[in-house]
Amino acid sequence: MVNFHDPDVIQKDFAFSTHFMHFSDGIYLWEFLTTLRFGWEFITGKRQFKWTFLLYATTRICALGAVITSFVGFNVTHSINCQQWIVWHLIIVYTSLASASVLISLRVIAVWNRNLIVIALTFGMALVNMGFLIYGIATVRSEWSTTSDTCLLENTYKSRDNITVTVSTDIAQLIVMMIGLWRCRRTMTASGIAQYLYVQGLIWLVVATLAEIPSAVFINLNLNGKDIHRANCFSVA
């Protein structure tokens, strides 16, 4: 059986996390650059401006900022103020997540034709999610390690709460949206339903939600860390 507390195993896990993060960041940079025209059309007036575009832009720009700060954290070769770095990194990341959560809530509300119960439910979940994200920023602790030449997070297991809540609220909103779309099934053909699901963004919400599940699973398993000991901050990113 693999000893996940073995230094060699932790080092291999860290190397894999580094390569995977670079790969993921590269995909986002490609996606960001290839879809710039959509945002530019709002800025230049080719598309009708809506206030929700501000949420969309916040999500995109903060996600880009998260990619940039993660590149810094993964490739720095000298000692840095790890506490400041991780706090600002999480602020950018969680701002993007919070904005995306509100956008999902608005989509769910639109599917349900502004049902008051659904409005209260979805925004309630979004607020709970934001509260846990703020808690995660307030409690994070990190410092530079001279032995591994990287930033170390103290007790990464504490982050399980805000990550689990984020995944849970996204899944809950996905279910609410699916129920709302299911109510419209009788008025459409099979091809019409598929097109409607695509337009309403359900497919992309499913993909985004599924992508969150592995991080929630691994941080709850806490393979490399211990309850009160340090773990490499990038091993659970």
Side-chain angles (χ1 to χ4, degrees), residues 10 15 17 40 49-50 79 97 102 115 130 159 176-177 191 203 208:
I10 293 177
S17 298
W40 184 250
F49 181 82
K50 297 180 180 179
S79 177
L97 286 175
V102 175
N115 182 285
M130 291 179 193
S159 299
V176 174
M177 180 184 285
S191 59
I203 295 175

Side-chain angles (χ1 to χ4, degrees), residues 88-166:
W88 282 107
H89 179 67
L90 290 186
I91 287 175
I92 296 171
V93 171
Y94 290 166
T95 299
S96 179
L97 286 175
S99 299
S101 180
V102 175
L103 285 173
I104 293 172
S105 298
L106 293 174
R107 174 56 62 191
V108 173
I109 291 170
V111 169
W112 278 87
N113 294 320
R114 300 182 181 180
N115 182 285
L116 292 179
I117 296 177
V118 174
I119 291 176
L121 179 63
T122 54
F123 274 112
M125 288 188 290
L127 289 174
V128 169
N129 186 25
M130 291 179 193
F132 272 91
L133 294 180
I134 293 173
Y135 170 79
I137 295 173
T139 57
V140 69
R141 297 291 182 271
S142 179
E143 64 180 34
W144 181 262
S145 171
T146 56
T147 57
S148 56
D149 289 331
T150 187
C151 290
L152 296 181
L153 256 180
E154 295 183 355
N155 200 354
T156 55
Y157 192 53
K158 285 185 177 180
S159 299
R160 71 189 186 279
D161 294 334
N162 52 297
I163 292 178
T164 302
V165 168
T166 297

Side-chain angles (χ1 to χ4, degrees), residues 45-70:
K46 291 183 178 180
R47 289 178 180 266
Q48 183 181 359
F49 181 82
K50 297 180 180 179
W51 70 269
T52 51
F53 174 73
L54 298 177
L55 288 173
Y56 167 81
T58 300
T59 303
R60 299 262 295 170
I61 293 173
C62 286
L64 178 63
V67 168
I68 295 173
T69 54
S70 70

Side-chain angles (χ1 to χ4, degrees), residues 5-6 11-12 17 37 45 52 87 99 118 124 171 181 203 227:
H5 294 161
D6 186 286
Q11 189 62 32
K12 290 179 180 179
S17 298
R37 189 174 69 174
T52 51
V87 168
S99 299
V118 174
I171 292 175
L181 294 172
I203 295 175
D227 288 344

Side-chain angles (χ1 to χ4, degrees), residues 94 153 155-164 167 212-225 233 235-237:
Y94 290 166
L153 256 180
N155 200 354
T156 55
Y157 192 53
K158 285 185 177 180
S159 299
R160 71 189 186 279
D161 294 334
N162 52 297
I163 292 178
T164 302
V167 176
E212 295 173 349
I213 293 177
S215 61
V217 171
F218 280 113
I219 199 167
N220 277 282
L221 289 175
N222 195 33
L223 297 177
N224 293 136
C233 64
S235 64
V236 294

